[in-house]
Amino acid sequence: QKEVEQNSGPLSVPEGAIASLNCTYSDRGSQSFFWYRQYSGKSPELIMSIYSNGDKEDGRFTAQLNKASQYVSLLIRDSQPSDSATYLCAVNRAQAGTALIFGKGTTLSVSS
Amino acid sequence: DGGITQSPKYLFRKEGQNVTLSCEQNLNHDAMYWYRQDPGQGLRLIYYSQIVNDFQKGDIAEGYSVSREKKESFPLTVTSAQKNPTAFYLCASRAATQRGYGYTFGSGTRLTVV
């Protein structure tokens, strides 16, 4: 089982729709969970972090965490063409201090 | 402005040659990290350092070496033992932002074997 798994996509949604991205992780000791956005050829940028079970909202983004199911998701409301990018899920490895382990990413395409 | 600077942006390596990628931060962060990204892939951890003069191997450390003599600097050497070094290399440091304790990344170095 891979440590952090994401569907590679592409996930295609029309402009204005809700995009839902999912991530599962294997290390039950993980405590910190992050979503990064990466545009082609660029470095990742942090868009959301979540540490507790439940939902966390920031503007158009909502992160959801369910530690019992080892599941993290990211919802993007009112999707815009500028949201088209690869979204990386990252989880801290409990035995490696602050080191983050990344999934392979889900490519999102928002059509206008 | 505070940030992480990686240099060079593009680097070409001949077979059997060692090359060093620079990573400098002025954020006063203790922890720094090196990742490798291949096309269509996520980031894989090469080495990380939680404090000056200490570092740990990540998942793909073979063929790489690092040093952490100063808090601001965490250079990565790609040795001739790394058989497939062509990739996008990303350096990061641990940041406390309004969104939580995520990483800040540098702009990356794209290494190509010629």
Side-chain angles (χ1 to χ4, degrees), chain A residues 36 38 49 51 93 98 100, chain B residues 33 35 37 99 101 103:
Chain A
Y36 285 82
Q38 186 177 28
S49 62
Y51 306 98
R93 182 183 280 163
T98 60
L100 293 183
Chain B
Y33 313 83
Y35 287 87
Q37 187 174 36
R99 293 190 177 92
Y101 288 84
Y103 290 177

Side-chain angles (χ1 to χ4, degrees), chain A residues 17-111:
Chain A
I18 295 175
S20 177
L21 302 117
N22 304 315
C23 172
T24 58
Y25 62 95
S26 61
D27 186 349
R28 286 196 171 274
S30 297
Q31 297 293 323
S32 305
F33 307 87
F34 304 89
W35 283 99
Y36 285 82
R37 177 175 61 198
Q38 186 177 28
Y39 293 111
S40 181
K42 302 296 185 181
S43 59
E45 56 178 324
L46 179 66
I47 53 173
M48 288 290 288
S49 62
I50 188 166
Y51 306 98
S52 303
N53 280 329
D55 295 358
K56 179 181 178 182
E57 187 175 318
D58 183 359
R60 296 187 296 114
F61 300 98
T62 299
Q64 299 174 316
L65 174 61
N66 184 326
K67 289 185 179 180
S69 300
Q70 296 173 251
Y71 177 88
V72 191
S73 67
L74 179 70
L75 298 178
I76 306 174
R77 290 181 298 281
D78 189 25
S79 295
Q80 300 297 308
S82 58
D83 294 326
S84 298
T86 296
Y87 289 80
L88 300 167
C89 174
V91 176
N92 80 295
R93 182 183 280 163
Q95 300 304 317
T98 60
L100 293 183
I101 305 303
F102 287 78
K104 291 188 175 181
T106 298
T107 300
L108 172 66
S109 177
V110 181
S111 56

Side-chain angles (χ1 to χ4, degrees), chain B residues 8-99:
Chain B
K9 189 170 184 178
Y10 298 96
L11 185 58
F12 298 90
R13 192 194 95 166
K14 294 182 180 179
E15 294 283 352
Q17 194 177 44
N18 291 355
V19 291
T20 297
L21 284 60
S22 172
C23 178
E24 303 278 335
Q25 55 102 354
N26 60 3
L27 300 165
N28 199 34
H29 291 157
D30 288 313
M32 298 184 73
Y33 313 83
W34 275 105
Y35 287 87
R36 166 181 173 145
Q37 187 174 36
D38 293 282
Q41 301 295 312
L43 281 62
R44 291 187 290 167
L45 182 65
I46 305 173
Y47 268 99
Y48 61 103
S49 169
Q50 309 269 47
I51 197 168
V52 174
N53 292 321
D54 187 43
F55 50 82
Q56 288 77 40
K57 293 182 179 179
D59 297 322
I60 56 165
E62 185 175 351
Y64 301 97
S65 66
V66 294
S67 63
R68 187 84 187 277
E69 297 176 359
K70 298 186 301 182
K71 188 176 186 178
E72 302 79 17
S73 179
F74 191 39
L76 173 74
T77 296
V78 184
T79 74
S80 57
Q82 172 49 242
K83 297 307 179 188
N84 185 22
T86 295
F88 187 41
Y89 290 86
L90 288 158
C91 179
S93 70
R94 186 171 183 261
T97 71
Q98 63 180 3
R99 293 190 177 92

